[in-house]
Each structure stands twice: as C-alpha cells, then as structure tokens.
Short mmCIF file of all heavy atoms in Angstrom, two decimals:
data_model
loop_
_atom_site.label_atom_id
_atom_site.label_comp_id
_atom_site.label_asym_id
_atom_site.label_seq_id
_atom_site.Cartn_x
_atom_site.Cartn_y
_atom_site.Cartn_z
N THR I 1 108.20 82.55 68.33
CA THR I 1 108.69 82.07 67.05
C THR I 1 107.53 81.45 66.30
O THR I 1 106.56 81.00 66.91
CB THR I 1 109.82 81.05 67.22
OG1 THR I 1 109.38 79.97 68.06
CG2 THR I 1 111.04 81.69 67.86
N PRO I 2 107.60 81.42 64.97
CA PRO I 2 106.49 80.89 64.18
C PRO I 2 106.14 79.44 64.61
O PRO I 2 107.02 78.60 64.81
CB PRO I 2 107.02 80.90 62.77
CG PRO I 2 108.01 82.02 62.73
CD PRO I 2 108.65 81.94 64.12
N GLY I 3 104.85 79.22 64.78
CA GLY I 3 104.37 77.86 65.14
C GLY I 3 104.47 77.54 66.61
O GLY I 3 104.07 76.46 67.03
N LYS I 4 104.99 78.45 67.39
CA LYS I 4 105.12 78.21 68.83
C LYS I 4 104.31 79.26 69.63
O LYS I 4 104.06 80.34 69.12
CB LYS I 4 106.58 78.23 69.27
CG LYS I 4 107.40 77.10 68.70
CD LYS I 4 108.81 77.11 69.30
CE LYS I 4 109.64 75.95 68.78
NZ LYS I 4 111.02 75.95 69.36
N GLU I 5 103.99 78.90 70.86
CA GLU I 5 103.29 79.82 71.70
C GLU I 5 104.26 80.90 72.22
O GLU I 5 105.46 80.66 72.35
CB GLU I 5 102.66 79.11 72.88
CG GLU I 5 101.52 78.20 72.52
CD GLU I 5 100.79 77.65 73.73
OE1 GLU I 5 101.19 78.00 74.87
OE2 GLU I 5 99.80 76.92 73.55
N ARG I 6 103.71 82.07 72.48
CA ARG I 6 104.51 83.10 73.08
C ARG I 6 104.98 82.68 74.44
O ARG I 6 104.24 82.09 75.22
CB ARG I 6 103.64 84.38 73.17
CG ARG I 6 104.37 85.61 73.71
CD ARG I 6 103.55 86.85 73.52
NE ARG I 6 102.22 86.70 74.07
CZ ARG I 6 101.17 87.47 73.77
NH1 ARG I 6 101.32 88.45 72.89
NH2 ARG I 6 100.00 87.29 74.35
N GLU I 7 106.23 82.99 74.74
CA GLU I 7 106.79 82.60 76.05
C GLU I 7 107.34 83.83 76.78
O GLU I 7 107.87 84.75 76.17
CB GLU I 7 107.86 81.54 75.89
CG GLU I 7 109.10 81.93 75.11
CD GLU I 7 110.10 80.79 75.02
OE1 GLU I 7 109.72 79.62 75.10
OE2 GLU I 7 111.29 81.10 74.84
N LEU I 8 107.18 83.78 78.07
CA LEU I 8 107.69 84.84 78.94
C LEU I 8 109.19 84.71 79.08
O LEU I 8 109.69 83.63 79.44
CB LEU I 8 107.01 84.78 80.31
CG LEU I 8 107.43 85.79 81.36
CD1 LEU I 8 107.14 87.22 80.90
CD2 LEU I 8 106.73 85.48 82.69
N VAL I 9 109.89 85.77 78.81
CA VAL I 9 111.39 85.76 78.90
C VAL I 9 111.81 86.27 80.27
O VAL I 9 112.65 85.66 80.94
CB VAL I 9 112.01 86.60 77.79
CG1 VAL I 9 113.50 86.64 77.95
CG2 VAL I 9 111.62 86.05 76.44
N ALA I 10 111.27 87.40 80.67
CA ALA I 10 111.66 88.03 81.95
C ALA I 10 110.60 89.06 82.33
O ALA I 10 109.92 89.60 81.45
CB ALA I 10 113.02 88.70 81.82
N TYR I 11 110.45 89.26 83.62
CA TYR I 11 109.59 90.35 84.05
C TYR I 11 110.18 91.03 85.26
O TYR I 11 111.05 90.46 85.96
CB TYR I 11 108.15 89.87 84.34
CG TYR I 11 107.99 89.05 85.61
CD1 TYR I 11 107.90 89.65 86.86
CD2 TYR I 11 107.82 87.66 85.53
CE1 TYR I 11 107.72 88.89 88.02
CE2 TYR I 11 107.64 86.94 86.70
CZ TYR I 11 107.59 87.53 87.91
OH TYR I 11 107.37 86.78 89.05
N ILE I 12 109.71 92.23 85.50
CA ILE I 12 110.19 92.99 86.66
C ILE I 12 109.02 93.72 87.29
O ILE I 12 108.21 94.34 86.63
CB ILE I 12 111.30 93.99 86.18
CG1 ILE I 12 111.93 94.68 87.35
CG2 ILE I 12 110.77 95.00 85.16
CD1 ILE I 12 113.20 95.41 87.00
N ASP I 13 108.86 93.53 88.58
CA ASP I 13 108.03 94.41 89.38
C ASP I 13 108.79 94.64 90.70
O ASP I 13 109.67 95.52 90.71
CB ASP I 13 106.60 93.86 89.59
CG ASP I 13 106.55 92.42 90.13
OD1 ASP I 13 107.61 91.89 90.49
OD2 ASP I 13 105.46 91.85 90.16
N HIS I 14 108.53 93.87 91.71
CA HIS I 14 109.34 94.02 92.93
C HIS I 14 110.57 93.08 92.86
O HIS I 14 111.49 93.21 93.67
CB HIS I 14 108.49 93.68 94.17
CG HIS I 14 107.32 94.57 94.30
ND1 HIS I 14 107.41 95.93 94.54
CD2 HIS I 14 105.97 94.32 94.19
CE1 HIS I 14 106.20 96.45 94.58
NE2 HIS I 14 105.33 95.50 94.35
N ILE I 15 110.57 92.16 91.96
CA ILE I 15 111.67 91.26 91.72
C ILE I 15 111.93 91.22 90.23
O ILE I 15 111.14 91.75 89.44
CB ILE I 15 111.37 89.81 92.21
CG1 ILE I 15 110.16 89.24 91.45
CG2 ILE I 15 111.12 89.83 93.72
CD1 ILE I 15 109.98 87.77 91.62
N VAL I 16 113.00 90.59 89.86
CA VAL I 16 113.26 90.32 88.44
C VAL I 16 113.29 88.80 88.28
O VAL I 16 113.98 88.09 89.01
CB VAL I 16 114.60 90.92 88.00
CG1 VAL I 16 114.80 90.69 86.48
CG2 VAL I 16 114.67 92.41 88.29
N TRP I 17 112.47 88.33 87.35
CA TRP I 17 112.37 86.90 87.08
C TRP I 17 112.81 86.62 85.69
O TRP I 17 112.53 87.41 84.74
CB TRP I 17 110.91 86.45 87.24
CG TRP I 17 110.68 85.02 86.92
CD1 TRP I 17 110.68 83.97 87.78
CD2 TRP I 17 110.39 84.47 85.59
NE1 TRP I 17 110.41 82.81 87.10
CE2 TRP I 17 110.22 83.09 85.77
CE3 TRP I 17 110.22 85.04 84.34
CZ2 TRP I 17 109.93 82.23 84.71
CZ3 TRP I 17 109.95 84.21 83.26
CH2 TRP I 17 109.81 82.82 83.44
N TYR I 18 113.53 85.51 85.48
CA TYR I 18 113.98 85.08 84.16
C TYR I 18 113.59 83.62 83.94
O TYR I 18 113.62 82.80 84.88
CB TYR I 18 115.50 85.17 84.05
CG TYR I 18 116.06 86.57 84.26
CD1 TYR I 18 116.54 86.94 85.54
CD2 TYR I 18 116.15 87.46 83.24
CE1 TYR I 18 117.07 88.19 85.73
CE2 TYR I 18 116.68 88.73 83.44
CZ TYR I 18 117.13 89.10 84.67
OH TYR I 18 117.67 90.37 84.86
N ARG I 19 113.29 83.32 82.69
CA ARG I 19 113.05 81.91 82.39
C ARG I 19 114.43 81.20 82.44
O ARG I 19 115.48 81.80 82.18
CB ARG I 19 112.38 81.73 81.05
CG ARG I 19 113.15 82.04 79.82
CD ARG I 19 112.33 81.82 78.55
NE ARG I 19 111.81 80.47 78.48
CZ ARG I 19 110.53 80.12 78.70
NH1 ARG I 19 109.62 81.04 79.03
NH2 ARG I 19 110.11 78.88 78.60
N ASP I 20 114.41 79.90 82.72
CA ASP I 20 115.65 79.18 82.96
C ASP I 20 116.64 79.26 81.79
O ASP I 20 117.84 79.38 81.98
CB ASP I 20 115.36 77.72 83.25
CG ASP I 20 114.80 77.51 84.64
OD1 ASP I 20 114.91 78.43 85.47
OD2 ASP I 20 114.25 76.40 84.92
N SER I 21 116.10 79.24 80.58
CA SER I 21 116.98 79.16 79.40
C SER I 21 117.76 80.45 79.17
O SER I 21 118.72 80.47 78.36
CB SER I 21 116.16 78.85 78.15
OG SER I 21 115.18 79.84 77.90
N VAL I 22 117.40 81.56 79.85
CA VAL I 22 118.15 82.81 79.66
C VAL I 22 118.88 83.29 80.89
O VAL I 22 119.59 84.26 80.87
CB VAL I 22 117.20 83.93 79.16
CG1 VAL I 22 116.41 83.50 77.91
CG2 VAL I 22 116.27 84.42 80.23
N LYS I 23 118.68 82.57 82.00
CA LYS I 23 119.34 82.95 83.25
C LYS I 23 120.87 82.99 83.08
O LYS I 23 121.44 82.10 82.45
CB LYS I 23 119.00 81.98 84.36
CG LYS I 23 117.63 82.19 84.98
CD LYS I 23 117.37 81.18 86.08
CE LYS I 23 116.00 81.40 86.70
NZ LYS I 23 115.71 80.39 87.74
N GLY I 24 121.48 84.05 83.57
CA GLY I 24 122.93 84.18 83.45
C GLY I 24 123.36 84.80 82.14
O GLY I 24 124.52 85.19 82.01
N ARG I 25 122.45 84.93 81.19
CA ARG I 25 122.79 85.52 79.89
C ARG I 25 122.04 86.83 79.64
O ARG I 25 122.57 87.73 79.03
CB ARG I 25 122.47 84.53 78.75
CG ARG I 25 123.22 83.22 78.84
CD ARG I 25 123.00 82.34 77.61
NE ARG I 25 121.61 82.00 77.39
CZ ARG I 25 120.91 82.34 76.31
NH1 ARG I 25 121.45 83.01 75.34
NH2 ARG I 25 119.63 81.94 76.19
N PHE I 26 120.80 86.91 80.07
CA PHE I 26 119.98 88.10 79.85
C PHE I 26 119.85 88.87 81.15
O PHE I 26 119.78 88.30 82.24
CB PHE I 26 118.57 87.69 79.41
CG PHE I 26 118.48 87.13 78.01
CD1 PHE I 26 119.62 86.72 77.32
CD2 PHE I 26 117.25 87.00 77.39
CE1 PHE I 26 119.50 86.23 76.04
CE2 PHE I 26 117.14 86.49 76.11
CZ PHE I 26 118.27 86.07 75.44
N THR I 27 119.80 90.17 81.02
CA THR I 27 119.57 91.05 82.18
C THR I 27 118.51 92.07 81.82
O THR I 27 118.64 92.77 80.84
CB THR I 27 120.88 91.79 82.56
OG1 THR I 27 121.90 90.83 82.86
CG2 THR I 27 120.64 92.65 83.78
N MET I 28 117.48 92.12 82.65
CA MET I 28 116.41 93.10 82.47
C MET I 28 116.54 94.18 83.49
O MET I 28 116.82 93.93 84.66
CB MET I 28 115.05 92.39 82.63
CG MET I 28 113.88 93.34 82.37
SD MET I 28 112.32 92.42 82.42
CE MET I 28 111.18 93.77 82.12
N SER I 29 116.37 95.41 83.03
CA SER I 29 116.41 96.55 83.96
C SER I 29 115.28 97.50 83.63
O SER I 29 114.68 97.44 82.55
CB SER I 29 117.77 97.25 83.84
OG SER I 29 117.97 97.72 82.54
N ARG I 30 115.04 98.38 84.58
CA ARG I 30 113.88 99.31 84.45
C ARG I 30 114.28 100.67 84.97
O ARG I 30 114.90 100.81 86.02
CB ARG I 30 112.71 98.75 85.22
CG ARG I 30 111.47 99.64 85.23
CD ARG I 30 110.35 98.92 85.97
NE ARG I 30 109.06 99.62 85.85
CZ ARG I 30 107.90 99.10 86.22
NH1 ARG I 30 107.88 97.87 86.73
NH2 ARG I 30 106.78 99.79 86.07
N ASP I 31 113.86 101.69 84.26
CA ASP I 31 113.97 103.07 84.67
C ASP I 31 112.55 103.58 84.81
O ASP I 31 111.92 104.00 83.83
CB ASP I 31 114.78 103.91 83.70
CG ASP I 31 115.00 105.32 84.16
OD1 ASP I 31 114.23 105.81 85.03
OD2 ASP I 31 115.95 105.96 83.69
N SER I 32 112.01 103.54 86.02
CA SER I 32 110.61 103.90 86.21
C SER I 32 110.34 105.36 85.88
O SER I 32 109.25 105.71 85.43
CB SER I 32 110.18 103.60 87.66
OG SER I 32 110.25 102.22 87.89
N ALA I 33 111.30 106.21 86.14
CA ALA I 33 111.10 107.64 85.85
C ALA I 33 110.90 107.89 84.36
O ALA I 33 110.20 108.82 83.97
CB ALA I 33 112.30 108.43 86.38
N LYS I 34 111.53 107.05 83.55
CA LYS I 34 111.41 107.17 82.09
C LYS I 34 110.45 106.15 81.46
O LYS I 34 110.35 106.08 80.26
CB LYS I 34 112.80 107.07 81.44
CG LYS I 34 113.78 108.15 81.92
CD LYS I 34 115.13 107.98 81.22
CE LYS I 34 116.10 109.05 81.67
NZ LYS I 34 117.43 108.87 81.07
N ASN I 35 109.81 105.35 82.31
CA ASN I 35 108.95 104.27 81.80
C ASN I 35 109.64 103.43 80.73
O ASN I 35 109.06 103.12 79.70
CB ASN I 35 107.63 104.83 81.24
CG ASN I 35 106.58 105.04 82.34
OD1 ASN I 35 106.72 104.52 83.44
ND2 ASN I 35 105.57 105.83 82.03
N THR I 36 110.84 103.08 81.04
CA THR I 36 111.68 102.36 80.09
C THR I 36 112.16 101.05 80.70
O THR I 36 112.54 101.01 81.86
CB THR I 36 112.90 103.20 79.67
OG1 THR I 36 112.46 104.42 79.03
CG2 THR I 36 113.79 102.44 78.69
N ILE I 37 112.14 99.99 79.88
CA ILE I 37 112.76 98.75 80.26
C ILE I 37 113.76 98.35 79.21
O ILE I 37 113.58 98.69 78.02
CB ILE I 37 111.72 97.62 80.49
CG1 ILE I 37 110.88 97.39 79.23
CG2 ILE I 37 110.87 97.88 81.71
CD1 ILE I 37 109.99 96.15 79.33
N VAL I 38 114.81 97.70 79.66
CA VAL I 38 115.86 97.27 78.76
C VAL I 38 116.10 95.78 79.00
O VAL I 38 116.09 95.33 80.12
CB VAL I 38 117.14 98.05 79.03
CG1 VAL I 38 118.32 97.48 78.22
CG2 VAL I 38 116.92 99.53 78.68
N LEU I 39 116.35 95.07 77.91
CA LEU I 39 116.74 93.69 77.99
C LEU I 39 118.12 93.54 77.33
O LEU I 39 118.24 93.70 76.11
CB LEU I 39 115.72 92.78 77.30
CG LEU I 39 116.00 91.27 77.45
CD1 LEU I 39 115.80 90.82 78.90
CD2 LEU I 39 115.07 90.45 76.52
N GLN I 40 119.11 93.32 78.15
CA GLN I 40 120.46 93.14 77.62
C GLN I 40 120.67 91.63 77.45
O GLN I 40 120.57 90.87 78.44
CB GLN I 40 121.51 93.71 78.58
CG GLN I 40 122.94 93.49 78.15
CD GLN I 40 123.24 94.13 76.79
OE1 GLN I 40 122.79 95.25 76.52
NE2 GLN I 40 124.03 93.46 75.96
N MET I 41 120.99 91.22 76.26
CA MET I 41 121.13 89.81 75.91
C MET I 41 122.56 89.51 75.53
O MET I 41 123.08 90.09 74.58
CB MET I 41 120.15 89.44 74.79
CG MET I 41 118.71 89.77 75.06
SD MET I 41 117.58 89.34 73.71
CE MET I 41 118.09 90.52 72.45
N ASN I 42 123.17 88.64 76.27
CA ASN I 42 124.55 88.25 76.01
C ASN I 42 124.60 86.77 75.69
O ASN I 42 123.67 86.01 75.96
CB ASN I 42 125.46 88.54 77.23
CG ASN I 42 125.47 90.02 77.58
OD1 ASN I 42 125.43 90.88 76.68
ND2 ASN I 42 125.55 90.31 78.86
N SER I 43 125.76 86.35 75.12
CA SER I 43 125.97 84.93 74.78
C SER I 43 124.75 84.36 74.04
O SER I 43 124.24 83.29 74.36
CB SER I 43 126.22 84.12 76.05
OG SER I 43 127.34 84.59 76.75
N LEU I 44 124.31 85.08 73.04
CA LEU I 44 123.11 84.70 72.33
C LEU I 44 123.30 83.40 71.57
O LEU I 44 124.38 83.09 71.08
CB LEU I 44 122.71 85.82 71.36
CG LEU I 44 122.00 87.00 72.04
CD1 LEU I 44 122.04 88.24 71.17
CD2 LEU I 44 120.58 86.61 72.39
N LYS I 45 122.20 82.65 71.48
CA LYS I 45 122.19 81.36 70.82
C LYS I 45 121.14 81.39 69.69
O LYS I 45 120.19 82.19 69.74
CB LYS I 45 121.79 80.27 71.84
CG LYS I 45 122.66 80.21 73.04
CD LYS I 45 122.15 79.18 74.04
CE LYS I 45 123.01 79.11 75.29
NZ LYS I 45 122.49 78.12 76.28
N PRO I 46 121.32 80.52 68.70
CA PRO I 46 120.32 80.50 67.61
C PRO I 46 118.90 80.29 68.13
O PRO I 46 117.95 80.86 67.55
CB PRO I 46 120.81 79.31 66.77
CG PRO I 46 122.27 79.26 66.98
CD PRO I 46 122.44 79.64 68.44
N GLU I 47 118.76 79.56 69.21
CA GLU I 47 117.40 79.32 69.74
C GLU I 47 116.81 80.54 70.41
O GLU I 47 115.63 80.53 70.82
CB GLU I 47 117.40 78.14 70.72
CG GLU I 47 118.44 78.22 71.81
CD GLU I 47 119.70 77.44 71.49
OE1 GLU I 47 120.14 77.47 70.31
OE2 GLU I 47 120.24 76.77 72.40
N ASP I 48 117.56 81.62 70.54
CA ASP I 48 117.02 82.88 71.04
C ASP I 48 116.35 83.68 69.92
O ASP I 48 115.73 84.70 70.18
CB ASP I 48 118.13 83.75 71.66
CG ASP I 48 118.72 83.13 72.90
OD1 ASP I 48 117.95 82.60 73.73
OD2 ASP I 48 119.95 83.19 73.05
#
C-alpha cells in the first residue's frame, strides 16, 4: 500500500505459509504443470 513496505502475504514451495493477518481467510494454491498460482481471498477487510 502507498507509504508502506511491501509485505509477504503467502508463499508455497514444500509448504504453504501465510502471514497471521490472512490465516483462515486466504488460501494459496499452485498448479505446477501450468506454472499457475492462485490466491483465494475470503472475508476480505478494508485493510486488505
């Protein structure tokens, strides 16, 4: 967001990691065959 540093939301390699503020609301998935990642975001808040 403007004026703030970039923050890591989620990553996936051998595990899937989420930052605390999005746990339980965001889901990251990967289709390696298609080199595609998806971030499904639910219960969105203005601070997202």
Side-chain angles (χ1 to χ4, degrees):
T1 55
K4 294 186 178 181
E5 291 189 359
R6 182 169 54 197
E7 63 181 24
L8 178 62
V9 177
Y11 74 79
I12 186 168
D13 53 8
H14 302 294
I15 62 167
V16 184
W17 177 93
Y18 301 95
R19 70 181 303 105
D20 286 346
S21 61
V22 307
K23 282 182 180 177
R25 301 188 298 120
F26 290 13
T27 301
M28 182 175 180
S29 61
R30 178 176 188 169
D31 184 338
S32 295
K34 298 180 179 178
N35 275 345
T36 299
I37 56 173
V38 172
L39 185 68
Q40 178 62 40
M41 305 180 291
N42 299 325
S43 301
L44 282 161
K45 304 175 181 180
E47 51 264 41
D48 294 318

